[in-house]
Amino acid sequence: MIDIQNTPDTREIPLKKVGVKGLRYPVLVLDKLNGKQQTSATVNLFVNLPHDYKGTHMSRFIENFHRHHRDLGMKQFLLMLEDIRQSLSAERAFGTMEFPFFMTKKAPVSGSESIMEYTCSYEGEVSEKSHNFYVTVSVPVTTVCPCSKAISEYGAHNQRGLVTVKLQNTSLFWIEDVIELIESCASCSLYSILKRPDEKWVTEHAYDNPRFVEDVVREICLGLKNFDKCEKPFSWFSVECENYESIHNHNAYAYTSSDDL
């Protein structure tokens, strides 16, 4: 059968990225407690296209991803991209994979178990001479306003926030350890199940640990600079925190990266 994609193109316009976007697929990712975790990912896969190529072979993206979808740890994700690059005779291959990551969590007093969901993603780029890989972890937290606590005769306003940490990976680390660090830098972490003694503990613990968004970002930066649960320090990271304010009709926000530290 004729293959139009292999016919030459004469417009002399190279394309930086061509491929598939929004692919939904079951995957297995690394899990510190259980070894691997079954989850579902939204995947984008691309290669560059030289000016004289009319098109790429879309089916090869899916074929290569399917071969790897049952073993997609951090290193394996880059291997999958390299297979795509070679299969399509491309100079570079790119990919992102966003997925919910689940952890069993015990309530602080009653010990009641439940499942917490965190949004994570992989982002990679490979060429013959180099590769780059990033892991992003988003963690919901509770924050209590230090200013509100200081000026109020009783109580203080609190809100849920979302912390997003992006890490350039050079060695193996566990997503669970990053989540634990992030939660420890907020006023309090969140839980799916809270009995009354747990709710009392969470309320009082958060009140005793007030945090601005600026505090949360700075504390996490210090933790990442001194992170000792992987073989090598992170070569780059960024941290952002957005608080969904409970007494304002806008959100509070802070961001920084290791470029500025």
Side-chain angles (χ1 to χ4, degrees):
M1 297 174 67
I2 188 171
D3 189 351
I4 296 295
Q5 292 162 319
N6 274 338
T7 59
D9 194 280
T10 60
R11 286 166 286 189
E12 298 187 348
I13 298 177
L15 302 178
K16 292 186 179 297
K17 290 183 179 180
V18 298
V20 298
K21 191 172 183 180
L23 173 68
R24 295 280 292 171
Y25 228 80
V27 295
L28 285 176
V29 297
L30 291 178
D31 184 305
K32 185 177 182 180
L33 181 63
N34 302 303
K36 291 185 179 180
Q37 179 179 140
Q38 176 83 53
T39 185
S40 178
T42 301
V43 185
N44 303 320
L45 301 168
F46 312 108
V47 294
N48 70 303
L49 192 70
H51 70 87
D52 53 342
Y53 280 62
K54 189 170 187 65
T56 190
H57 297 273
M58 297 293 179
S59 62
R60 295 185 189 175
F61 290 96
I62 312 302
E63 289 171 345
N64 281 282
F65 188 80
H66 181 76
R67 281 198 293 270
H68 289 271
H69 80 285
R70 293 190 177 279
D71 185 10
L72 275 174
M74 300 172 188
K75 292 182 179 179
Q76 287 74 19
F77 187 79
L78 288 176
L79 291 174
M80 179 271 299
L81 289 180
E82 178 61 21
D83 283 353
I84 288 175
R85 187 186 74 83
Q86 293 188 23
S87 174
L88 290 162
S89 301
E91 294 176 358
R92 296 183 302 278
F94 316 84
T96 62
M97 184 178 86
E98 183 177 287
F99 55 94
F101 186 83
F102 298 96
M103 283 178 56
T104 300
K105 198 170 181 181
K106 291 184 178 181
V109 178
S110 69
S112 300
E113 286 192 352
S114 59
I115 302 293
M116 279 290 295
E117 176 191 350
Y118 305 90
T119 300
C120 300
S121 67
Y122 294 165
E123 178 183 347
E125 176 184 348
V126 299
S127 67
E128 187 175 354
K129 296 182 179 179
S130 66
H131 65 269
N132 290 297
F133 182 72
Y134 299 88
V135 178
T136 300
V137 183
S138 294
V139 178
V141 297
T142 290
T143 57
V144 169
C145 176
C147 183
S148 173
K149 178 179 177 179
I151 64 177
S152 302
E153 292 185 11
Y154 48 88
H157 81 82
N158 63 290
Q159 52 275 316
R160 186 162 25 163
L162 185 67
V163 176
T164 301
V165 170
K166 186 173 183 178
L167 306 161
Q168 187 167 23
N169 179 43
T170 55
S171 63
L172 175 66
F173 66 91
W174 296 102
I175 288 174
E176 293 91 332
D177 291 335
V178 175
I179 292 172
E180 181 180 352
L181 167 64
I182 293 170
E183 292 181 335
S184 71
C185 295
S187 296
C188 193
S189 60
L190 301 186
Y191 300 84
S192 294
I193 290 180
L194 291 174
K195 301 296 186 179
R196 277 174 293 180
D198 302 311
E199 187 172 350
K200 178 180 186 297
W201 185 93
V202 165
T203 302
E204 294 172 349
H205 182 78
Y207 186 80
D208 290 338
N209 294 278
R211 294 284 191 274
F212 291 126
V213 286
E214 297 93 332
D215 296 319
V216 175
V217 168
R218 285 171 170 150
E219 288 296 319
I220 294 171
C221 283
L222 289 176
L224 292 174
K225 286 178 66 176
N226 299 297
F227 194 73
D228 60 0
K229 296 185 178 181
C230 58
E231 295 177 1
K232 300 178 183 178
F234 298 115
S235 53
W236 180 89
F237 62 80
S238 67
V239 183
E240 66 177 78
C241 180
E242 182 174 4
N243 278 353
Y244 308 115
E245 290 288 290
S246 60
I247 64 170
H248 303 292
N249 194 29
H250 58 261
N251 296 339
Y253 180 81
Y255 169 89
T256 197
S257 72
S258 57
D259 296 327
D260 302 316
L261 303 179

